[in-house]
Amino acid sequence: MVRSIKNPKKAKRKNKGSKKGDGSSSSSSIPSMPTKVWQPGVDKLEEGEELECDPSAYNSLHGFHIGWPCLSFDIVRDSLGLIRTEFPHTAYLVAGTQAEKASFNSIGIFKVSNISGKRRELLPTQKNSDDADMDADSSDSDEDSEDAENSGSLTPALQLRKVAHEGCVNRIRAMTQNPHICASWSDTGHVQVWDFTTHLNALAQSEAAVNQGGSSVFNQAPLVKFGGHKDEGYAIDWSPRVTGRLVSGDCKNCIYLWEPTSGATWNFSSAFIGHSASVEDLQWSPTEDEVFASCSVDGSIAIWDIRLGKSPAISFKAHNADVNVISWNRLASVMLASGSDDGTFSIRDLRLLSQKQEDDKSVVAHFEYHKYPVTSIEWSPHEASVLAVSSSDNQLTIWDLSLEKDEEEEAEFRAKTNEQVNAPADIPPQLLFVHQGQKDLKELHWHSQIPGMLVSTAADGFNILMPSNIQSTLPSEGA
């Protein structure tokens, strides 16, 4: 398990320009030397070579920070529209800090507006004549310049409010049904529930950007401060089906069920125990009110039904190392993804689970692309076959499990672009996109209301990204 950011230092508060090898800032700089596509896991950097972020690979790419590094964050559902495809975008988030001193920590409630970008065609248009080609080159150059202007020079505005938090925030989650209600796991061993209505309303009504990391800190009492866990923890999840129902898991292998009562109060169950080591992540079923999944340092995944008592309904060995994260597919509820400390991640069809490990045929996909621990994994809320993965190798990867190598399609694409596009044999055809430039990646989330938008957090801040090659899966503009 890899969690904390080593030796966290306060992020610099002044804006930085882009630099080579760093994809965390908006940039329209043009490399001075001829460039080629770098193939992760295949190509090696020679002495003196550097990686350069190509802005044309993104519909949108922006970087920001809120002061101290954040180990965990969540995207807050808003009332700006269920499906939004027009730039500029606005997003609301909550994040917890990992500060140098316990008393410096806070939860940031923030709004990022003016998230600019531009849609691009997947294939360039081709002309027949040489003159037309020259005209097209000139036109493309103008369009590239316009793209860079539209997607790079419009700086997003960050509005931030801070609430004091006792200890580092190990994980934070906003309730699906009432997103102003958030739960946080502290390294002090407490789980707290907060009402951020006042702060979200203030952000919604304000248009003035604030200095990043410079706002005052509010002292606010949580709705609930639960001290029943015997150790700190990282696993926590709100039920997407039952308003206010929560599960939290700790490093002592205990899971507690929170049942909402009238008002802002909860009843707590006795501990659910089925793992032999730390509970790393929890996920409620998207279709069953009483069912949730857990994963553990003991290498197993357990499925629980709260109607059947305090033991798992089924438990199975999932990886040969710690299982750090899991994600339950909300569009295809039989699919569960898991990521391990050895860098592997797997996709299981829960209909094929068996109590006998030797008979386990549930693994429908297994990838060994990442060579360092998987730190976050999440299914797309808009495409059932797409998921994103982050790793300690400083890569955020996007995968489409519906993709297969198609020689005929490659030949057609090569003919249109006049380029060699044969993918190396050791890069899986399901690998759709690789994002780099962040250091010590910790968590990622898809925006459920903005198709194609991902937000990630790392030791050096946040990135908001929208890869251009998943444009074909989005609704057309004006739809």
Side-chain angles (χ1 to χ4, degrees), residues 301 303 314-316 336 348-356 359-363:
I301 292 175
I303 308 296
I314 187 170
S315 180
F316 54 91
L336 185 73
R348 278 183 162 79
D349 185 334
L350 298 179
R351 296 170 297 184
L352 305 177
L353 282 178
S354 172
Q355 288 282 13
K356 298 180 179 180
D359 296 333
D360 184 12
K361 299 181 176 62
S362 65
V363 179

Side-chain angles (χ1 to χ4, degrees), residues 87-395:
F87 290 109
H89 289 300
T90 296
Y92 291 83
L93 302 95
V94 289
T97 64
Q98 275 203 312
E100 190 174 25
K101 295 183 179 180
S103 60
F104 292 171
N105 281 292
S106 64
I107 294 176
I109 306 100
F110 53 104
K111 169 185 175 183
V112 185
S113 55
N114 197 32
I115 301 171
S116 57
K118 187 174 179 65
R119 298 192 183 280
R120 295 178 175 83
E121 293 182 5
L122 293 180
L123 292 174
T125 55
Q126 298 292 325
K127 301 290 184 179
N128 293 327
S129 67
D130 291 340
D131 291 341
D133 284 340
M134 293 179 63
D135 291 342
D137 289 341
S138 175
S139 176
D140 288 345
S141 177
D142 292 341
E143 290 177 4
D144 289 343
S145 177
E146 182 181 350
D147 287 351
E149 180 180 352
N150 288 342
S151 63
S153 62
L154 297 179
T155 304
L158 173 66
Q159 296 162 253
L160 172 66
R161 294 171 72 91
K162 295 179 179 179
V163 172
H165 186 275
E166 182 184 355
C168 294
V169 180
N170 290 345
R171 194 157 292 172
I172 187 167
R173 292 291 182 264
M175 189 192 300
T176 304
Q177 300 87 346
N178 298 314
H180 57 282
I181 303 296
C182 298
S184 66
W185 241 125
S186 173
D187 66 357
T188 63
H190 295 97
V191 180
Q192 299 173 89
V193 176
W194 307 82
D195 185 344
F196 293 141
T197 301
T198 301
H199 304 289
L200 289 168
N201 286 343
L203 292 173
Q205 296 166 8
S206 173
E207 296 298 331
V210 299
N211 180 25
Q212 297 182 14
S215 63
S216 59
V217 179
F218 296 89
N219 289 310
Q220 176 180 330
L223 297 176
V224 177
K225 184 177 182 179
F226 177 59
H229 287 283
K230 303 304 180 184
D231 196 0
E232 67 175 313
Y234 294 80
I236 194 167
D237 194 40
W238 292 102
S239 169
R241 297 179 55 84
V242 180
T243 302
R245 180 174 281 174
L246 182 74
V247 280
S248 55
D250 60 36
C251 295
K252 291 290 188 184
N253 81 340
C254 295
I255 299 171
Y256 286 89
L257 172 67
W258 301 43
E259 287 286 16
T261 60
S262 58
T265 58
W266 282 262
N267 288 331
F268 306 99
S269 69
S270 57
F272 289 71
I273 299 178
H275 291 291
S276 60
S278 172
V279 178
E280 297 292 278
D281 202 4
L282 290 160
Q283 285 271 286
W284 281 100
S285 164
T287 57
E288 300 289 335
D289 292 357
E290 295 85 8
V291 176
F292 67 89
S294 62
C295 66
S296 171
V297 165
D298 64 17
S300 72
I301 292 175
I303 308 296
W304 308 74
D305 188 326
I306 61 177
R307 297 165 296 187
L308 302 179
K310 302 301 174 62
S311 298
I314 187 170
S315 180
F316 54 91
K317 186 74 172 178
H319 291 271
N320 293 323
D322 306 1
V323 188
N324 294 333
V325 285
I326 51 177
S327 179
W328 207 319
N329 194 324
R330 297 194 178 188
L331 299 179
S333 61
V334 298
M335 296 297 174
L336 185 73
S338 58
S340 174
D341 221 41
D342 61 10
T344 65
F345 66 96
S346 301
I347 314 298
R348 278 183 162 79
D349 185 334
L350 298 179
R351 296 170 297 184
L352 305 177
L353 282 178
S354 172
Q355 288 282 13
K356 298 180 179 180
Q357 189 66 31
E358 61 272 14
D359 296 333
D360 184 12
K361 299 181 176 62
S362 65
V363 179
V364 295
H366 180 76
F367 296 94
E368 299 180 357
Y369 171 81
H370 290 287
K371 305 306 179 187
Y372 291 86
V374 172
T375 57
S376 187
I377 191 167
E378 188 169 288
W379 291 99
S380 165
H382 298 104
E383 291 289 331
S385 62
V386 173
L387 77 163
V389 179
S390 68
S391 168
S392 296
D393 62 10
N394 298 329
Q395 294 186 55

Side-chain angles (χ1 to χ4, degrees), residues 460-478:
D460 52 358
F462 290 84
N463 274 189
I464 296 177
L465 58 141
M466 299 180 72
S468 61
N469 68 334
I470 62 172
Q471 178 177 344
S472 59
T473 68
L474 306 183
S476 59
E477 290 189 20

Side-chain angles (χ1 to χ4, degrees), residues 58-95:
Y58 300 84
N59 287 333
S60 183
L61 175 60
H62 299 284
F64 65 95
H65 55 78
I66 64 168
W68 293 103
C70 296
L71 179 64
S72 180
F73 75 100
D74 205 3
I75 297 173
V76 178
R77 291 184 64 87
D78 56 53
S79 58
L80 300 178
L82 292 178
I83 299 294
R84 310 201 292 271
T85 61
E86 297 291 334
F87 290 109
H89 289 300
T90 296
Y92 291 83
L93 302 95
V94 289

